[in-house]
């Protein structure tokens, strides 16, 4: 029931944004990178202990409740089990496992989301996308304009989503690949993401 409510809210937001003629996807970033934040050892240790995650527009968020904090790009955080750097329009995340690296992005970051709450789904051997079956008819035209491709390192681009049709792409185990999400209007907040499952590294480009 809760997921259904969240999905309905996502469709409502998409409908409103689409009606304004802005974009049929999620809101994009207009953030301008700030000066580099140089953490002291004490600051870094405190953030590392407070479950740091990447939020919307590449903002580093950490802590819970009244103890929450955030740091806008640019920054470099070096924790024992998580490294995150944000340099201008690029956010790079490293974790001991590929799954942990993907989990470093908060749901609110809309990472690998191609429309409302529809997502591109990735593993170390396959890239797919949520089907558009649940999309309201009034938004179908917008969704069908979204294109998702995956490009293995040194290989050709392959379609994952086009015209609303999902075609899962199987990759060689451990292969490095890039996912590009293209919309008909305003760019996706994370239009290009390079994934290296073997090293647990994710490099994501923010929309400009």
């Amino acid at each position: 029931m809760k997921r259904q409510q969240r999905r309905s809210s996502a469709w409502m937001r998409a409908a409103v944004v689409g009606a304004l003629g802005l974009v049929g996807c999620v809101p994009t970033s207009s953030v301008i990178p700030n000066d580099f934040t140089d953490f002291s050892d004490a600051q870094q240790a405190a953030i590392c202990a407070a479950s740091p995650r990447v939020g919307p527009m590449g903002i580093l968020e950490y802590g819970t409740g009244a103890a929450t904090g955030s740091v806008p790009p640019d920054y470099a955080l070096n924790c024992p089990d998580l490294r995150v750097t944000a340099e201008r329009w690029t956010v790079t995340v490293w974790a001991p496992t590929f799954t942990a690296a993907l989990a470093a992005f908060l749901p609110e970051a809309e990472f690998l989301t191609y429309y409302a709450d529809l997502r591109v789904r990735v593993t170390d051997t396959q890239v797919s996308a949520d089907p558009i079956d649940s999309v309201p008819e009034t938004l179908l035209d917008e969704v069908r304009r979204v294109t998702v491709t995956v490009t293995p390192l040194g290989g050709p681009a392959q379609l994952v989503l086009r015209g609303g049709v999902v075609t899962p792409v199987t990759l060689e185990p451990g292969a490095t690949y890039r996912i590009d999400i293209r919309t008909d209007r305003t760019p996706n907040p994370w239009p290009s993401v390079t994934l290296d499952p073997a090293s647990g590294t994710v490099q994501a480009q923010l929309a400009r």
Side-chain angles (χ1 to χ4, degrees):
M1 177 64 72
K2 290 183 179 179
R3 176 174 174 79
Q4 195 171 27
Q5 291 173 340
R6 289 197 300 269
R7 172 156 288 180
S8 297
S9 298
W11 294 139
M12 289 176 64
R13 290 196 303 271
V16 170
V17 174
L20 293 174
L22 298 177
V23 60
C25 195
V26 293
T28 188
S29 164
S30 60
V31 67
I32 298 175
N34 294 344
D35 291 335
F36 182 80
T37 298
D38 189 11
F39 299 118
S40 68
D41 291 344
Q43 289 174 326
Q44 183 161 258
I47 294 173
C48 290
S51 301
R53 293 291 183 269
V54 179
M57 301 177 292
I59 295 173
L60 182 69
E61 301 186 13
Y62 56 92
T64 57
T68 58
S70 62
V71 181
D74 290 352
Y75 58 80
L77 180 71
N78 189 1
C79 303
D81 58 353
L82 180 69
R83 293 198 296 267
V84 185
T85 61
E87 187 174 359
R88 294 195 62 78
W89 307 103
T90 303
V91 175
T92 304
V93 173
W94 172 89
T97 67
F98 182 50
T99 300
L102 294 175
F105 291 85
L106 288 168
E108 295 82 3
E110 307 289 3
F111 181 68
L112 290 179
T113 297
Y114 73 85
Y115 192 96
D117 68 345
L118 297 179
R119 294 175 53 83
V120 178
R121 304 289 175 177
V122 302
T123 68
D124 58 352
T125 59
Q126 188 181 75
V127 178
S128 187
D130 291 337
I132 68 170
D133 302 348
S134 60
V135 178
E137 186 174 352
T138 55
L139 300 176
L140 280 174
D141 183 58
E142 284 289 340
V143 179
R144 288 171 178 153
R145 296 180 185 181
V146 179
T147 299
V148 178
T149 59
V150 57
T151 306
L153 184 65
Q158 302 176 59
L159 283 169
V160 176
L161 176 72
R162 184 176 185 180
V165 177
V166 176
T167 305
V169 174
T170 300
L171 302 164
E172 291 293 327
T176 299
Y177 55 92
R178 188 185 74 243
I179 295 173
D180 294 301
I181 303 173
R182 297 288 179 261
T183 62
D184 195 44
R185 298 181 183 178
T186 304
N188 182 278
W190 305 91
S192 185
V193 179
T194 299
L195 305 169
D196 185 356
S199 68
T201 303
V202 174
Q203 187 174 79
Q205 302 296 320
L206 283 163
R208 302 191 182 192

